Amino acid sequence: MSPSAADASASVGAIPIRITINGESHALQVEPWTTLLDLLRLHLDLTGTKKGCDHGQCGACTVLVDGKRINSCLTLAVMKDGSEVTTIEGLAQNGDLHPVQAAFVEYDAFQCGYCTPGQICSAVGLINEGHAQSREEIRELMSGNICRCGAYVNIVDAVEHAMAHRRQSPRNPEARS
Amino acid sequence: MNRFSYVRAASAAEAVRELADPAARIIAGGTNLLDLMKYAVEKPTRLVDITHLPLATIEDAPGGGVRIGALVTNAALAYDDRIARDYPLLSSALLAGASPQLRNAATTGGNLLQRTRCYYFYDPATPCNKREPGSGCSAIGGLNRIHAILGASENCIATHPSDMCVALAALEAVIHVEGPDGARAIPMADFHRLPGDSPEIDTTLRQGELITSVELPPPAFGQNHTYLKLRDRLSYAFALVSVAVGLNIEGGTIKKARMALGGVAHKPWRKPEAEQALEGQAPTLENFGRAAELLLQGARGHGHNDFKIELARRAIGRALSQAAEARPQSQTDKRIR
């Protein structure tokens, strides 16, 4: 049941939502002020998605909602009723790393690792969007993810590699073959 | 974040009815509102979710223009084939703003209603007339590197942070709204207001009005446009100064000129006299310099932001050159040519 103005009594306190996370459907009761980030970390124990600034400035909380990368800290869970969310935990399949995860390992695209889940989800979104062709464009379109260790050069290497091999990824639903 | 009730509006009329409560706020992308709520700058008691309304399309407008639904995201708008082809100035300004994640969430209507990024507005521990009318302005005499040089008042020197709105000002967009008294259209030049003695009011929207769409007139500038944005880092930062320019040049003469500045005032800054001074003239550096002087007439610094006056003067000249030569600023390769 979705809350509507006609059913004002449903609108205070917890609200029922159905949300698919990493392929698994969840029926949940969420308070309206719960962000998607807090839902993932505090309610579902999916702590791969990181809370960095909690203000949309660092990108550590990046997840994919219906295939698009967004900052989960600036999104209310209740507004994502009916959506499909992919977090860092949902990228690997059958024990195989997602090609972007594998590229981050291969190119040593991190140091402390705190920004990495957000960087990887952002890179998956970037590749799906298909607007980046050059290194310069990768840099610009990864600018929503800050890395305080300064692993940027290797992050661009990893994304460039994964982008070049995207056609080989059977898990990318938008891959053009 | 404060506690609030939540309702999903099933129609624009229902959203308008909900807005009769002055403590209710519309939420769509949420990227600015939720941020402000986390800082306790905004404390709505009710959020009205409009994301299920059918306002996410880009359609023909009567007369050859285009009508952009209020819920079209910044990313969908920037990468729309028709917008990129016919209104490249708008695409460029959108891609100069925020980050891909934010552009995927933020909407056209929400971008219009962005609040200032003044540090003091965001900090409830300090006086701010915009946040707490009558409490004073901490930026005047405080840290004001990012603040206004034009159109400010003794009560507020905040700037409007949007890039999209600067392009919409140069493109002379019209904002369509629905309210308790029906629908009306507001020219972009009249949509945002100067702070005067009521800096808490950003726009001329009336109580209960909901933005439903933004209309652009038929395309007018071809490739003679640019959006030049200057900031402290190359990406993902608000403008210190930005310039949107559209020119229509025929036979070596400027037939039509539109210019708007961002990052310098409480609203995108236009001055018809500066545009008229270019029309009928040749696109020369001398004429660009004169237009810049007119556009910046009355500019005043507050200490840390004094540099913005000269920065803006030079940015206007460079942007006019880029537009005249059909070399719009790349938002990827940030070198300014």
Side-chain angles (χ1 to χ4, degrees), chain B residues 303-326:
Chain B
H304 301 123
N305 68 349
D306 292 348
F307 73 97
K308 278 192 177 187
I309 301 174
E310 180 63 13
L311 187 68
R313 196 180 64 75
R314 294 182 185 212
I316 295 164
R318 182 60 63 95
L320 283 165
S321 295
Q322 290 182 336
E325 293 163 20

Side-chain angles (χ1 to χ4, degrees), chain A residues 5 11 54-56 73 140 145, chain B residues 6 35 38 101 235-236 334:
Chain A
S11 63
D54 206 25
H55 289 281
C73 74
E140 174 62 20
N145 294 82
Chain B
Y6 168 86
D35 192 25
K38 290 180 182 191
Q101 290 96 316
S235 301
Y236 200 12
K334 304 297 175 66

Side-chain angles (χ1 to χ4, degrees), chain A residues 1-63:
Chain A
M1 282 287 287
S2 299
S4 72
D7 184 17
S9 61
S11 63
V12 184
I15 294 171
I17 64 166
R18 183 166 285 280
I19 190 166
T20 302
I21 296 168
N22 299 330
E24 192 183 328
S25 179
H26 296 261
L28 303 166
Q29 298 276 332
V30 296
E31 287 165 325
W33 46 86
T34 304
T35 62
L36 178 59
L37 174 60
D38 285 344
L39 177 77
L40 293 170
R41 290 183 57 86
L42 304 178
H43 298 244
L44 299 173
D45 206 26
L46 290 167
T47 54
T49 305
K50 301 304 181 196
K51 184 178 281 197
C53 68
D54 206 25
H55 289 281
Q57 296 177 7
C58 75
C61 69
T62 303
V63 299

Side-chain angles (χ1 to χ4, degrees), chain B residues 63 80 152 182 186 206 238 243 254 269 300 307 324 332-335:
Chain B
D80 179 78
I186 309 169
R206 297 176 194 141
F238 291 99
V243 191
I254 300 170
W269 191 257
R300 186 193 149 207
F307 73 97
T332 301
D333 172 1
K334 304 297 175 66
R335 275 166 292 189

Side-chain angles (χ1 to χ4, degrees), chain B residues 222-258:
Chain B
Q223 287 308 306
N224 291 109
H225 68 89
T226 197
Y227 187 72
L228 177 60
K229 178 177 180 179
L230 305 173
R231 46 191 148 170
D232 280 328
R233 61 181 184 194
L234 285 178
S235 301
Y236 200 12
F238 291 99
L240 290 166
V241 169
S242 70
V243 191
V245 174
L247 298 176
N248 189 321
I249 302 175
E250 282 174 34
T253 301
I254 300 170
K255 298 291 181 192
K256 180 177 179 177
R258 292 292 179 269

Side-chain angles (χ1 to χ4, degrees), chain B residues 88-152:
Chain B
L89 172 59
L90 178 56
S91 282
S92 184
L94 284 159
L95 294 177
S99 69
Q101 290 96 316
L102 290 167
R103 293 194 294 264
N104 275 340
T107 62
T108 304
N111 194 319
L112 281 160
L113 295 178
Q114 265 190 94
R115 310 296 314 269
T116 185
R117 297 286 163 164
C118 172
Y119 332 113
Y120 300 104
F121 176 69
Y122 263 79
D123 180 2
T126 61
C128 167
N129 286 324
K130 184 181 279 296
R131 177 170 31 77
E132 192 74 53
S135 63
C137 173
S138 301
I140 297 173
L143 296 169
N144 52 41
R145 176 178 159 74
I146 66 170
H147 288 77
I149 53 171
L150 287 160

Side-chain angles (χ1 to χ4, degrees), chain A residues 2-3 5 11 32-33 54-57 62 69 71 73-74 78-79 81 122 129 131 140-141 143-145, chain B residues 3-8 14 28 31 34-35 38-39 46 49 79 99-102 104 235-236 331-332 334:
Chain A
S2 299
S11 63
W33 46 86
D54 206 25
H55 289 281
Q57 296 177 7
T62 303
R69 51 178 165 159
N71 300 110
C73 74
L74 291 184
V78 68
M79 293 177 69
D81 187 12
S122 190
E129 288 157 13
H131 299 304
E140 174 62 20
L141 294 176
S143 65
N145 294 82
Chain B
R3 302 305 184 234
F4 53 85
S5 63
Y6 168 86
V7 63
R8 209 167 279 166
E14 190 183 312
T31 54
L34 293 175
D35 192 25
K38 290 180 182 191
Y39 284 112
R46 188 162 178 81
D49 178 357
Y79 291 115
S99 69
Q101 290 96 316
L102 290 167
N104 275 340
S235 301
Y236 200 12
Q331 304 304 348
T332 301
K334 304 297 175 66

Side-chain angles (χ1 to χ4, degrees), chain B residues 124-296:
Chain B
T126 61
C128 167
N129 286 324
K130 184 181 279 296
R131 177 170 31 77
E132 192 74 53
S135 63
C137 173
S138 301
I140 297 173
L143 296 169
N144 52 41
R145 176 178 159 74
I146 66 170
H147 288 77
I149 53 171
L150 287 160
S153 74
E154 66 273 25
N155 300 304
C156 181
I157 59 171
T159 60
H160 195 265
S162 169
D163 293 297
M164 182 192 84
C165 291
V166 184
L168 290 184
L171 292 168
E172 299 185 298
V174 172
I175 315 306
H176 291 274
V177 306
E178 273 183 46
D181 303 321
R184 68 182 179 119
I186 309 169
M188 187 62 191
D190 301 330
F191 184 79
H192 296 99
R193 57 186 295 287
L194 293 177
D197 55 12
S198 49
E200 72 277 13
I201 306 170
D202 292 349
T203 71
T204 55
L205 275 184
R206 297 176 194 141
Q207 169 79 41
E209 281 183 331
L210 173 77
I211 298 171
T212 51
S213 67
V214 173
E215 186 174 339
L216 299 179
F221 304 121
Q223 287 308 306
N224 291 109
H225 68 89
T226 197
Y227 187 72
L228 177 60
K229 178 177 180 179
L230 305 173
R231 46 191 148 170
D232 280 328
R233 61 181 184 194
L234 285 178
S235 301
Y236 200 12
F238 291 99
L240 290 166
V241 169
S242 70
V243 191
V245 174
L247 298 176
N248 189 321
I249 302 175
E250 282 174 34
T253 301
I254 300 170
K255 298 291 181 192
K256 180 177 179 177
R258 292 292 179 269
M259 295 186 281
L261 301 180
V264 297
H266 202 255
K267 61 186 287 185
W269 191 257
R270 268 185 71 196
K271 212 160 193 190
E273 302 93 290
E275 295 165 1
Q276 284 154 18
L278 285 168
E279 292 172 353
Q281 305 296 314
T284 63
L285 289 180
E286 201 186 342
N287 288 332
F288 295 163
R290 232 185 335 266
E293 293 305 327
L294 284 168
L295 187 51
L296 291 171

